């Protein structure tokens, strides 16, 4: 079975081909960062139009890389939500039309499920149940992954998603959009910070998160500072240290509460090296297996969509209808 995966939920057009026998045989991406950076954030209408512009050429490119033709594809998997409604509609309509033309199925994939299953693309050993920390630009959740398609949300953010908090904190200190990865790099290069930021919501029981206060704390500290590169680095480090401590505390709590011995970290912020290192240290002590997708599979991509569609198809999921159903909001919880 060969699956063509299409991701278009936000500001990345991702197309990939997953081969049941060979694994991932093509994975191409067009990032819209340059387009949106002119506006300091994602402009939904521009995102939709840009997906339209790039989908056909990305499919052609992925077929070329995999050295196959469209007639060799058995299934199309597309992101049906959550995400920007227009952007999702572009990918879904494209997937459904192409599937109709090829007389194959097009399966809807949940973007968050695709994220947390991504590590299995490289490890090929993703056994359920496991605990998942999903930290992306739009979501921050601790999930109990019971089995394919069955998830329980143990903790969620009450305000900003973590990637969003990284990006907003970067922006307020003059780091250009999307800013999160650059803020992290600046923090990593800083060895000492005089600032200690709060660890939000760790002083009470529960697994929910809140990051908007941390961002405000960064703003207040920045405004009171001399606003030099050194100040920026120290604030970036204080922010990142607080985020990492908070995540480590909540993940440890979730492990204690569930007794699970496997933690998967996924989503764009999962590419954060300091987070990976700290979690690795703590989870090793706890005897918990930790999995991260490689950086290029942490952020949005077509590979995770193709793979998630493949897993569901293997379990018998089918959809030969022409209905284009997408959802801007779509909880992963069963
Ligand atoms: O998963 P993703 O590609 O998109 C969503 O589905 O939301 O995540 C993108 C987010 C952005 O906010 C970006 O700034 C953040 O992930 N990000 C990082 C790092 N790399 C990307 N945040 C912190 N540290 C990083 N190294
Ligand atoms: Zn994502």
């Amino acid at each position: 079975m060969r699956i063509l995966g299409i991701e278009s939920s936000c500001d990345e057009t991702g197309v990939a081909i997953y081969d049941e026998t060979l694994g991932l045989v093509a994975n191409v991406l067009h990032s819209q960062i340059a387009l949106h950076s002119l506006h300091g954030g994602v402009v939904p209408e521009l995102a939709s139009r840009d997906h339209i512009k790039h989908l056909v050429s990305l499919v052609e490119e992925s077929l070329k890389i995999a050295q196959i033709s469209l007639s060799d594809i058995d299934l199309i998997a597309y992101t049906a939500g959550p995400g920007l409604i227009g952007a999702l509609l572009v990918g879904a309509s494209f997937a459904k039309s192409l599937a109709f033309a090829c007389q194959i199925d097009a399966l809807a994939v949940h973007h968050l499920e695709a994220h947390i299953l991504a590590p299995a693309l490289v490890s090929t050993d993703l056994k359920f149940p496991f605990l998942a920390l999903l930290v992306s630009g739009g979501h921050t959740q601790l999930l109990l992954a019971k089995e394919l398609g069955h998830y329980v949300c143990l903790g969620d953010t009450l305000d900003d998603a973590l990637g969003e908090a990284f990006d907003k904190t970067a922006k307020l200190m003059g780091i250009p959009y999307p800013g999160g990865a650059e803020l992290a790099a600046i923090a990593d290069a800083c060895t000492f910070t005089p600032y200690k930021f709060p660890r939000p919501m760790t002083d009470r029981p529960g697994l929910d998160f809140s990051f908007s206060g941390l961002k405000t704390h960064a703003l207040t500290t920045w405004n009171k500072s001399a606003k030099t590169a050194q100040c920026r680095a120290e604030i970036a480090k204080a922010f990142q240290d607080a985020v990492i401590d908070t995540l480590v505390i909540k993940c440890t709590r979730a492990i204690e509460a569930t007794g699970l011995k496997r933690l998967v970290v996924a989503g764009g912020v999962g590419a954060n090296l300091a987070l990976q290192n700290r979690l690795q240290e703590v989870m090793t002590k706890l005897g918990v297996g930790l999995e991260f997708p490689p950086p290029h599979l942490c952020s949005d991509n077509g590979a995770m969509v193709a793979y998630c569609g493949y897993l569901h198809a293997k379990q018998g999921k089918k959809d030969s209808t022409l209905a284009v159903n997408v959802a801007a909001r779509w909880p992963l919880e069963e």
Side-chain angles (χ1 to χ4, degrees):
M1 186 171 17
R2 285 194 199 94
I3 300 94
L4 180 75
I6 294 173
E7 158 61 33
S8 72
S9 66
C10 190
D11 57 351
E12 255 123 15
T13 323
V15 174
I17 298 168
Y18 183 81
D19 182 306
E20 186 174 31
T21 325
L22 303 172
L24 192 60
V25 287
N27 185 23
V28 290
L29 190 84
H30 170 74
S31 165
Q32 301 180 352
I33 284 180
L35 172 73
H36 298 297
S37 63
L38 299 170
H39 308 276
V42 178
V43 182
E45 180 59 25
L46 295 183
S48 310
R49 291 176 192 210
D50 203 63
H51 287 307
I52 295 174
K53 244 194 221 168
H54 290 95
L55 271 170
V56 171
S57 58
L58 287 172
V59 169
E60 283 170 351
E61 193 185 339
S62 63
L63 289 169
K64 203 170 161 195
I65 292 169
Q67 296 182 318
I68 57 172
S69 65
L70 208 45
S71 58
D72 298 314
I73 298 290
D74 303 292
L75 175 76
I76 300 178
Y78 65 94
T79 301
L84 300 172
I85 198 74
L88 290 166
L89 272 170
V90 171
S93 317
F94 179 83
K96 280 287 174 183
S97 316
L98 190 59
F100 177 68
C102 299
Q103 296 191 305
I104 56 177
D105 275 13
L107 280 190
V109 164
H110 195 295
H111 183 77
L112 307 186
E113 182 177 36
H115 264 304
I116 64 176
L117 300 179
L121 265 169
V122 283
S123 76
T124 64
D125 181 31
L126 193 66
K127 288 196 199 86
F128 290 94
F130 61 89
L131 196 65
L133 173 68
L134 176 74
V135 276
S136 70
H139 296 85
T140 305
Q141 294 186 337
L142 260 167
L143 294 151
L144 165 60
K146 289 175 153 180
E147 55 184 284
L148 189 70
H150 297 278
Y151 306 88
V152 179
C153 182
L154 305 174
D156 206 340
T157 179
L158 305 183
D159 39 59
D160 289 356
L162 186 53
E164 190 185 355
F166 260 96
D167 294 344
K168 286 179 176 171
T169 303
K171 190 176 179 177
L172 68 89
M173 295 198 289
I175 301 169
Y177 164 87
E182 196 175 334
L183 184 92
I186 292 172
D188 288 346
C190 177
T191 48
F192 172 78
T193 177
Y195 305 112
K196 170 106 178 169
F197 281 22
R199 276 53 178 158
M201 299 192 60
T202 54
D203 57 350
R204 67 198 85 168
L207 297 170
D208 285 338
F209 304 95
S210 165
F211 294 110
S212 72
L214 215 46
K215 173 196 68 196
T216 311
H217 200 89
L219 177 62
T220 316
T221 315
W222 174 245
N223 283 339
K224 279 190 207 151
S225 77
K227 299 192 175 178
T228 60
Q230 177 68 19
C231 299
R232 186 183 289 118
E234 289 169 356
I235 293 170
K237 180 167 169 51
F239 172 83
Q240 181 168 275
D241 285 354
V243 164
I244 294 175
D245 265 0
T246 306
L247 294 179
V248 166
I249 291 168
K250 299 282 172 162
C251 286
T252 307
R253 258 185 216 173
I255 283 156
E256 282 162 359
T258 58
L260 290 170
K261 287 287 174 199
R262 186 173 215 145
L263 173 65
V264 164
V265 181
V269 188
N272 186 290
L273 282 179
L275 172 67
Q276 294 194 5
N277 293 339
R278 257 303 289 295
L279 271 177
Q280 189 63 66
E281 219 174 88
V282 176
M283 294 307 142
T284 305
K285 278 190 194 139
L286 292 173
V288 171
L290 182 64
E291 287 177 52
F292 288 95
H296 70 285
L297 297 178
C298 278
S299 47
D300 291 348
N301 62 83
M304 66 184 194
V305 178
Y307 182 63
C308 189
Y310 160 69
L311 293 177
H312 280 282
K314 212 169 74 165
Q315 278 204 352
K317 191 173 169 188
K318 290 185 187 319
D319 184 5
S320 49
T321 69
L322 291 177
V324 176
N325 293 317
V326 292
R329 287 177 178 274
W330 181 8
L332 182 54
E333 197 154 23
E334 57 193 4

